[in-house]
Structures are given as structure tokens and as C-alpha cells.
């Protein structure tokens, strides 16, 4: 048998941090790795990258594998995700061709109808590093909430497209994270509920605490969100700051 190669992996020391949730203390020994401005973290990541490249570059048959992957990529016309169906049978989805740098919004009136292009992120967003992360059409297909965020960030913005005019509605929803609970349109299609986070700096000890289920009306020129469910609006509940009070409709 052949002896496996022993790699010298880069090491980094732990810096334990303790948090208490629901009366239980949780240890996180490597949270400092989230600080991508820390020089020791940057050095550790760079050393990891160097080791990975050196290892991959010396794989036998690597060139043949790359050629096969390039052949497969040449036959791939793109990817589709975030497929959503409305009560009217419409389909909304994100599509990304091989030459695209970001996802684009499309729709079909039904499975047999032709594809319609609806929206691609405007330069005012894309030039700042924003990318489309997901969509949520209302139940009759008149509006689509589009979640956008910068690479590596969980906190997002939501912009809303009017399908008839193909124009964005006035309100830009900020400091939200639909990963918790999603985006849920009101039955009358006037607006939606999603999770708002008052603390958005991941270095802040309060980051992700005291979140709120907020209602937003994207037609409003001046944003006036409504606190639907939170510690503040429902003090009679037993919610804690770390709880996520999301609502599903």
C-alpha cells in the first residue's frame, strides 16, 4: 500500500467567546475567524489558500479533468433557481446564463407560454457589489419582492418590481434577513411581512438580537413600516432578545 501524504496545515489559536441563550451557555471558540479585517485571520486564510493550490496543482490527471469540465460547461446553457408559482398558475424564477454576472428575473404565464424577461439589477446596485439572492411574487403575480445583498452579507435590502409597468416601486426595505421566516405577502397584495434586524454590524454584541416581524408597503414614497410582532409590540409574550418572531401567512 502507498503511504498517504502528510500535509502541514496552518494553525490558528482559539479565542473562546461565551453566549447564554435560554439559560444555557454556549461556547464559540473560533468566532474571531468571522473578522476578515484581523491580520491573523487574513494570514491564516492566505496560508490555507496556498496549501490548497499547491495540492490541487499536483494532482495527476488534473488537466484532463479540467478539459472534461470545460466540455460540460460548453453544453450548459445556464441555471434556474427560486421557482415560484402563483395562484394564477404563473411561474417566476431567476435565471443565470454562463455569460451573466448575476441572476435575472423571468416569468411564464404558464408552463407552455414563452419566457418573459422582467428585471436585471440596475448599475446603482450592481456597481456597489449587490447581487440578487431571491424573489417572492405576490399571489396574483402583480408584484415581485426581490432580495438583494452584498457578497458574504446576510443582512439584505428588498426592492419591489411592478409587473405591469416593469418599474421598481418607491420603498426600499433595508436591514432585513428573509432567511428567517421568508417574505410573506398580505392577502390583499398591498405589502409583505419579513424579518427586520435593528443591529446589523456583526461585531456588535447585539447583532441579530431584538428582531421584528415588520409589515412593509412598497408603494409608499415615505417608508412607514408597521411592527406586527416583536418583544416591543407584544410585551405580554415570553420572547427573549435572541428569539425570531416571524409570521407565516
Amino acid at each position: 500500500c502507498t503511504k498517504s501524504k502528510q500535509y502541514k496545515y496552518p494553525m490558528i489559536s482559539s479565542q473562546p467567546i461565551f453566549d447564554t441563550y435560554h439559560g444555557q451557555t454556549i461556547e464559540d471558540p473560533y468566532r474571531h475567524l468571522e473578522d476578515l479585517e484581523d491580520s491573523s485571520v487574513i494570514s491564516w486564510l492566505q496560508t490555507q489558500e496556498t496549501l490548497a493550490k499547491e495540492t490541487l496543482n499536483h494532482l495527476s490527471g488534473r488537466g484532463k479533468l479540467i478539459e472534461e469540465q470545460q466540455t460540460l460547461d460548453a453544453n450548459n446553457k445556464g441555471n434556474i433557481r427560486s421557482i415560484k408559482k402563483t395562484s394564477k398558475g404563473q411561474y417566476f424564477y431567476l435565471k443565470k446564463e454562463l455569460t451573466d454576472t448575476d441572476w435575472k428575473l423571468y416569468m411564464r404565464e404558464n408552463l407552455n407560454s414563452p419566457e418573459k424577461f422582467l428585471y436585471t439589477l440596475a448599475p446603482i446596485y450592481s456597481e456597489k457589489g449587490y447581487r440578487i439572492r431571491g424573489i417572492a411574487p405576490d399571489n396574483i403575480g402583480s408584484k415581485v419582492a426581490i432580495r438583494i445583498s452584498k457578497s458574504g452579507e446576510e443582512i439584505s435590502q428588498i426592492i419591489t418590481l411592478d409587473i405591469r409597468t416593469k418599474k421598481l416601486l418607491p420603498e426600499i426595505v433595508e436591514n432585513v434577513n428573509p432567511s428567517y421566516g421568508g417574505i410573506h405577502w398580505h392577502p390583499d397584495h398591498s405589502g409583505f411581512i419579513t424579518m427586520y434586524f435593528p443591529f446589523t454590524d456583526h461585531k456588535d454584541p447585539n447583532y441579530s438580537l431584538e428582531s421584528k416581524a415588520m409589515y412593509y408597503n412598497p408603494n409608499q414614497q415615505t417608508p412607514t413600516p408597521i411592527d406586527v410582532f416583536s418583544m416591543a409590540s407584544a410585551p405580554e409574550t415570553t420572547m427573549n432578545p435572541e428569539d425570531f418572531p416571524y409570521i407565516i401567512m
Side-chain angles (χ1 to χ4, degrees):
C1 63
T2 58
K3 185 178 180 181
S4 61
K5 183 176 179 180
Q6 298 298 311
Y7 296 104
K8 186 177 180 181
Y9 292 103
M11 304 297 292
I12 191 167
S13 61
S14 64
Q15 298 178 19
I17 294 176
F18 298 89
D19 294 307
T20 300
Y21 300 111
H22 302 285
Q24 183 172 355
T25 300
I26 307 297
E27 179 183 359
D28 187 348
Y30 291 101
R31 188 181 301 175
H32 62 291
L33 294 183
E34 299 176 4
D35 185 359
L36 300 182
E37 297 178 1
D38 186 316
S39 59
S40 63
V41 174
I42 294 173
S43 176
W44 179 74
L45 290 172
Q46 290 175 336
T47 308
Q48 290 273 18
E49 180 183 21
T50 299
L51 174 62
K53 286 182 176 180
E54 290 177 349
T55 303
L56 294 174
N57 287 339
H58 288 86
L59 287 177
S60 61
R62 179 173 181 269
K64 188 173 186 302
L65 286 173
I66 292 175
E67 290 178 4
E68 290 182 359
Q69 186 61 57
Q70 289 174 337
T71 300
L72 292 172
D73 288 343
N75 295 323
N76 182 5
K77 296 182 179 180
N79 296 300
I80 292 176
R81 67 176 178 87
S82 299
I83 302 173
K84 309 291 184 181
K85 184 181 179 181
T86 69
S87 62
K88 295 174 64 175
Q90 303 157 305
Y91 289 86
F92 292 85
Y93 52 91
L94 296 175
K95 182 178 178 180
K96 190 176 185 181
E97 306 282 359
L98 291 180
T99 56
D100 291 334
T101 58
D102 192 18
W103 297 91
K104 297 178 181 179
L105 176 61
Y106 291 82
M107 75 165 292
R108 293 177 186 266
E109 292 294 341
N110 55 63
L111 286 176
N112 298 316
S113 65
E115 180 178 76
K116 296 180 183 178
F117 167 75
L118 296 177
Y119 182 74
T120 186
L121 205 56
I124 189 175
Y125 295 110
S126 59
E127 291 176 357
K128 295 179 181 179
Y130 284 92
R131 295 292 182 265
I132 295 177
R133 306 301 180 190
I135 58 172
D138 66 15
N139 204 33
I140 60 172
S142 64
K143 308 181 193 73
V144 179
I146 304 171
R147 176 187 179 183
I148 64 174
S149 66
K150 294 182 179 180
S151 178
E153 294 186 1
E154 294 182 351
I155 299 299
S156 308
Q157 294 184 358
I158 296 176
I159 54 179
T160 306
L161 184 72
D162 184 299
I163 301 304
R164 183 180 61 82
T165 64
K166 291 188 179 181
K167 293 182 179 180
L168 295 178
L169 296 177
E171 182 172 8
I172 300 174
V173 177
E174 298 183 334
N175 296 353
V176 295
N177 188 352
S179 296
Y180 298 92
I183 301 171
H184 298 276
W185 281 90
H186 193 279
D188 68 4
H189 323 295
S190 61
F192 52 81
I193 293 176
T194 193
M195 291 289 292
Y196 167 79
F197 288 79
F199 306 103
T200 59
D201 184 351
H202 69 275
K203 297 180 182 179
D204 188 332
N206 293 314
Y207 177 69
S208 82
L209 299 181
E210 300 182 23
S211 56
K212 302 178 180 181
M214 302 286 283
Y215 170 82
Y216 297 90
N217 182 342
N219 294 286
Q220 294 179 328
Q221 293 286 350
T222 303
T224 54
I226 300 173
D227 182 351
V228 178
F229 188 42
S230 69
M231 288 179 59
S233 62
E236 70 278 7
T237 65
T238 56
M239 277 189 288
N240 295 312
E242 62 269 21
D243 293 333
F244 300 119
Y246 57 83
I247 293 176
I248 296 177
M249 292 190 295

